[in-house]
Amino acid sequence: MNWYLLSTQPYKRELFLKYLEQSISEKQLQELILQTISPVDAVYQEMVLVPLTDFQQARSCLQKIEYFQRLEPKQLKVEQVRRMSGDNSLV
């Protein structure tokens, strides 16, 4: 699974997640954007962790969602995702 860090506009993460879930349902993106995780630490309050199957296609879809700011091109290591999410059981 390829994990990436997504940034939202300041103080808009929850709204972005709402719109993202709607977009995933309406456009059948479940196989492209596998899940979303909001990091627990306040330092990451405007970020979302996402495992993607196709970075380019996902970025194109994400850019159309309100409050999206940036998708970091560098893939995250599983250890980083575990630390940021607070979930040591992630694979």
Side-chain angles (χ1 to χ4, degrees):
M1 201 177 303
N2 298 327
W3 287 91
Y4 295 91
L5 188 63
L6 179 154
S7 300
T8 65
Q9 292 179 3
Y11 309 106
K12 301 295 185 184
R13 180 171 71 181
E14 296 309 315
L15 280 172
F16 170 79
L17 288 170
K18 177 183 172 184
Y19 293 136
L20 176 60
E21 291 303 319
Q22 287 175 351
S23 186
I24 288 171
S25 295
E26 291 170 4
K27 298 176 182 169
Q28 303 296 309
L29 302 175
Q30 295 88 347
E31 292 185 20
L32 182 62
I33 302 169
L34 304 174
Q35 77 184 96
T36 60
I37 297 177
S38 298
V40 293
D41 196 330
V43 173
Y44 306 113
Q45 69 182 356
E46 292 154 6
M47 298 178 184
V48 179
L49 299 164
V50 289
L52 305 173
T53 56
D54 182 329
F55 178 84
Q56 295 297 339
Q57 186 179 359
R59 183 170 59 182
S60 175
C61 293
L62 290 166
Q63 288 173 334
K64 298 172 186 171
I65 300 173
E66 194 169 356
Y67 305 120
F68 170 83
Q69 190 164 12
R70 177 173 162 76
L71 182 61
E72 296 295 330
K74 185 176 179 185
Q75 184 178 333
L76 296 172
K77 295 180 182 175
V78 175
E79 296 80 31
Q80 292 172 299
V81 176
R82 288 179 182 153
R83 180 178 44 79
M84 292 172 75
S85 69
D87 185 353
N88 289 326
S89 67
L90 287 173
V91 180

